[in-house]
Amino acid sequence: MRDVARALGVSQATVSNAFNRPDQLSRELRDRILIAARDLGYPGPDPIANTFRRGRTGAIGLIIHEPLQYLFEDPAARLTMAGVARVCGEHGSSLVLVPRAEPGLPDVVPTALVDGFVAFCDPLEPERRELLRARRLPVVGLDAPVTPGEPYVGIDDRAAARAAAAHLIALGHRRIGVISFALARDSETTVVPAGLDAPTGYVANRARLDGYRDALGPALDDGGRIVVVAARGVEEADGAAAAVPLLDHAEPPTAILAMSDRLALGVIAEAARRGIDVPGDLSVVGFDDVPAASSADPALTTVRQPHARKGAEAVRMLLRPASTRQALILPTEVVVRASTAPPRT
């Protein structure tokens, strides 16, 4: 910087402004500085030194509990990330993606150059809570609180699941299958003996199972049957695999509730492979209302939640003073489409 300033006869502060505060200089002067810097091999102020000098990085970290590609492959996650990115852009902030820690590799949380974190996790792992506590940076939960009682942005998963199940009960279904997310990390597809009371450490899983149970009481009281299968993963193929033990049952369900649209679309694909008509022989309900839900054949009945708004509100909350942060629960609704109908008599 000193050499560039000397070559042009300007102050080092003026050179610094050319890189950090271009609005303080004329276009002609800034261009001269940048050309001279290039010719002299000066790349600009050191970003780490700038961070220490300003006391901030201008970046926000997005923590996830999935592999990094999940944010780009899963449609609900993409919508949520779009909301995060939009508000980061509005505030001139960069976005740093922090995937789950893999065995044998260091966790990125302790070294990420960010001003705070949005934790898109369910729940945040205890080890990472400790790492974040040591960083002493602001953290906002997205979908679940980072620690119980702390502010976060999410939905009422229990009420949303209750409404989805109540739709099937109102149609007259009494034999119902439930396809849950995995109840533990790296578990296989399995029929769950404990049914809707299955233990799980995942906040959304627990809340949605409770919501299904709230609404499915009439089915059990009428002599109906509820069978729960935990899927191995979150893709359509995982939904199809989880549907197999349900559809192979001696008395298969007349309806299936899936905890995501991708799982539900997998159920529809497996039903089609077997020649099972949806919704004539089998009603299917998803959760999320991703773009593929409305274009499916048949169009999928599902729970709509505001993914992009969730991401946007989480960043807005993080950027507010800590004293003004409080839990924000966003609305959901059941969107009835062609994949549900009364059971055949």
Side-chain angles (χ1 to χ4, degrees):
M1 185 185 298
R2 183 169 51 250
D3 293 341
V4 175
R6 186 182 299 117
L8 295 176
V10 299
S11 68
Q12 292 186 49
T14 299
V15 176
S16 176
N17 283 342
F19 290 91
N20 298 317
R21 302 174 66 190
D23 58 301
Q24 302 296 308
L25 306 179
S26 69
R27 177 66 179 271
E28 185 272 336
L29 177 57
R30 182 169 186 262
D31 287 346
R32 285 175 54 214
I33 292 172
L34 294 179
I35 291 170
R38 182 195 63 200
D39 293 343
L40 291 169
Y42 175 62
D46 180 81
I48 296 178
N50 263 352
T51 295
F52 283 115
R53 184 167 57 252
R54 294 180 304 183
R56 60 184 297 274
T57 67
I60 288 171
L62 179 65
I63 299 175
I64 61 172
H65 62 241
E66 301 286 349
L68 194 58
Q69 64 267 26
Y70 170 78
L71 289 175
F72 301 90
E73 294 174 351
D74 185 83
R78 284 202 306 269
L79 291 169
T80 303
M81 190 169 66
V84 169
R86 178 165 57 81
V87 178
C88 284
E90 290 171 357
H91 289 267
S93 298
S94 300
L95 180 60
V96 176
L97 303 181
V98 182
R100 73 181 186 185
E102 299 295 346
L105 297 177
D107 198 317
V108 179
V109 167
T111 56
L113 290 176
V114 298
D115 298 317
F117 292 95
V118 171
F120 187 21
C121 299
D122 177 17
L124 186 65
E125 301 92 328
E127 299 82 4
R128 282 192 149 176
R129 286 199 207 108
E130 292 303 317
L131 294 174
L132 287 169
R133 189 174 291 115
R135 290 294 307 268
R136 298 183 179 180
L137 292 174
V139 185
V140 167
L142 175 53
D143 274 343
V146 174
T147 56
E150 294 214 357
Y152 74 104
V153 178
I155 62 171
D156 188 334
D157 283 281
R158 183 168 185 166
R162 182 189 306 125
H167 168 65
L168 293 179
I169 293 299
L171 289 173
H173 293 278
R174 295 299 181 266
R175 297 200 315 271
I176 297 173
V178 170
I179 296 181
S180 164
F181 293 130
L183 301 177
R185 184 170 173 172
D186 299 327
S187 59
E188 295 298 319
T189 300
T190 182
V191 177
V192 182
L196 296 171
D197 295 318
T200 177
Y202 297 127
V203 176
N205 265 26
R206 180 70 270 148
R208 293 182 192 184
L209 289 170
D210 288 343
Y212 292 151
R213 190 196 319 105
D214 293 343
L216 296 178
L220 298 173
D221 293 342
D222 288 353
R225 186 184 66 252
I226 311 299
V227 178
V228 178
V229 176
R232 180 177 183 272
V234 297
E235 299 179 7
E236 289 82 355
D238 300 305
V244 169
L246 295 173
L247 301 179
D248 281 348
H249 198 280
E251 290 186 282
T254 61
I256 292 178
L257 288 159
M259 282 196 184
S260 78
D261 288 348
R262 295 187 75 185
L263 294 176
L265 294 172
V267 172
I268 292 175
E270 178 63 18
R273 190 183 71 80
R274 293 167 176 248
I276 297 173
D277 180 65
V278 176
D281 301 314
L282 178 71
S283 287
V284 181
V285 178
F287 201 113
D288 282 333
D289 198 25
V290 298
S294 60
S295 60
D297 184 18
L300 182 64
T301 295
T302 187
V303 174
R304 174 179 293 161
Q305 62 166 317
H307 302 284
R309 186 182 170 194
K310 278 197 309 182
E313 296 291 355
V315 177
R316 291 190 183 108
M317 183 180 292
L318 182 72
L319 296 174
R320 291 200 297 267
S323 60
T324 67
R325 297 178 195 140
Q326 56 184 352
L328 177 61
I329 306 301
L330 300 177
T332 60
E333 64 173 316
V334 175
V335 180
V336 179
R337 297 193 179 104
S339 68
T340 51
R344 293 193 195 277
T345 56

